Amino acid sequence: FRVTLTPIRRRDKGVAGAIAVLQDVTEMEKLEQSRREFVANVSHELRTPLTTIKSYAEALDDGALDEPPLADRFVGVIRSETERMIRLVTDLLHLSRFDSRRNQLRRQNTDLSEMLEEVVDRFSFQLRQKAITVSVKVENKQNTAWLDRDGIDQVLDNLVSNAIKYTLDGGSIDISAKSNETGQLAIAIKDTGIGIPKKDLNRIFERFYRVDKARSRNMGGTGLGLSIAREIVRAHGGSITLESESNVGTVVTVLLPIVQEGGEPA
Ligand code: ADP
């Protein structure tokens, strides 16, 4: 609590009493705390690739440039660290864009099969590289939806990219869309990947939270994919859930209220 005391003065300048105002600042402090953590995380995440780039540039300067095979490797590292920073900054921009919520949604009538097939097409190279098979199923009676296509594409890209990153070669991914009992559109992405240990499940949507930092890094992850997905889904009035079992696989389900064309969720 923040306490403010104001004296009540009598006419003769003496003090007759005081007004005490008690203000609950718990929420404010929590917000401030999470803002501080976020800034610390962002700084750390940007500092790591920058430090790497600096040391490899110095090594090139110190003579590695004269050894072509070594120079090639160092330039490769500098390039991939730069790409990681670009991804991170792009992700941060996405987060801040959807922080300001639903008034920015540009909904359009969307053919669900087409949308899901296009996501698969965007990842066809990685899928082929890892020999992962994909199936897409869309229920007939719910084959269109009124949604922000750019936003939901971003959600699907993040989820499918995770499913690929955390599934071993030769695995499979099932993508499906249907309306469920509660009248919502459920889009599920199911993989046969490494899964997520129980103890990490309730933190997985936090910004920058990763089960295995090194693995995520190697796969080009930023630790922001799931939090961005949740932000966008919430802006649609929906929710996102994740079920997972170690070494069996993961299912991420996006639930979106079914909105009439031209409408917004109630
Ligand atoms: P990242 O960029 O690290 O993938 P995300 O926010 O997308 O960040 O995911 C956070 C963490 O959740 C990942 O680092 C990974 O540990 C775990 N994760 C997400 N999706 C899956 C999945 N389909 N299978 C296994 N682990 C996953």
Side-chain angles (χ1 to χ4, degrees):
F1 284 99
R2 180 185 295 152
V3 183
T4 327
L5 278 174
T6 316
I8 305 169
R9 299 204 179 272
R10 284 201 307 255
R11 248 189 230 136
D12 62 9
K13 301 261 166 36
V15 177
I19 300 169
V21 178
L22 282 86
Q23 198 182 2
D24 186 350
V25 288
T26 327
E27 273 311 308
M28 272 159 65
E29 295 244 308
K30 266 198 215 147
L31 237 117
E32 181 58 21
Q33 166 83 6
S34 76
R35 197 192 59 81
R36 270 199 300 262
E37 269 170 29
F38 182 65
V39 172
N41 278 330
V42 171
S43 317
H44 175 79
E45 295 291 330
L46 285 172
R47 199 193 156 96
T48 311
L50 280 172
T51 315
T52 312
I53 290 168
K54 178 168 180 275
S55 59
Y56 278 80
E58 280 168 1
L60 284 169
D61 215 15
D62 289 345
L65 258 184
D66 303 324
E67 296 175 52
L70 201 60
D72 276 357
R73 243 189 55 222
F74 287 8
V75 169
V77 174
I78 291 176
R79 178 180 296 158
S80 72
E81 289 299 293
T82 314
E83 280 163 0
R84 177 210 302 293
M85 282 178 53
I86 294 173
R87 264 198 312 275
L88 185 65
V89 173
T90 310
D91 278 359
L92 288 168
L93 286 172
H94 282 135
L95 258 184
S96 73
R97 187 169 328 141
F98 277 93
D99 261 349
S100 40
R101 298 216 114 50
R102 66 181 68 188
N103 48 5
Q104 286 187 339
L105 291 189
R106 285 200 303 266
R107 290 180 187 263
Q108 62 184 73
N109 197 33
T110 306
D111 182 306
L112 292 173
S113 295
E114 187 189 284
M115 177 174 77
L116 298 180
E117 294 288 353
E118 282 180 17
V119 186
V120 175
D121 288 346
R122 285 197 288 279
F123 288 97
S124 60
F125 180 72
Q126 277 130 289
L127 288 162
R128 197 152 355 116
Q129 236 181 1
K130 293 187 79 176
I132 295 175
T133 48
V134 187
S135 79
V136 174
K137 277 200 204 92
V138 175
E139 190 187 54
N140 273 338
K141 71 175 162 86
Q142 189 63 53
N143 51 15
T144 61
W146 179 247
L147 39 80
D148 182 310
R149 182 64 195 270
D150 286 346
I152 298 299
D153 271 342
Q154 171 84 53
V155 172
L156 295 169
D157 281 357
N158 292 1
L159 300 180
V160 172
S161 137
N162 280 349
I164 297 172
K165 273 192 287 188
Y166 304 109
T167 294
L168 303 180
D169 289 12
S172 60
I173 298 174
D174 295 328
I175 306 175
S176 64
K178 60 177 185 191
S179 54
N180 69 5
E181 321 73 50
T182 57
Q184 300 191 82
L185 170 65
I187 303 177
I189 289 120
K190 178 172 182 275
D191 66 56
T192 57
I194 59 170
I196 299 166
K198 280 223 157 42
K199 65 171 178 44
D200 296 298
L201 276 178
N202 59 352
R203 300 199 57 193
I204 213 74
F205 286 96
E206 286 175 22
R207 292 171 184 186
F208 297 113
Y209 192 81
R210 284 165 275 195
V211 175
D212 180 340
K213 249 194 167 145
R215 183 193 288 263
S216 156
R217 242 174 223 297
N218 289 340
M219 298 288 174
T222 59
L224 289 172
L226 284 179
S227 42
I228 292 172
R230 184 169 67 174
E231 209 70 58
I232 298 172
V233 171
R234 283 185 172 168
H236 278 79
S239 60
I240 182 164
T241 60
L242 187 150
E243 289 162 68
S244 188
E245 199 175 327
S246 283
N247 302 317
V248 176
T250 304
V251 189
V252 186
T253 308
V254 172
L255 292 172
L256 297 169
I258 294 173
V259 181
Q260 292 311 311
E261 188 163 335
E264 286 291 328

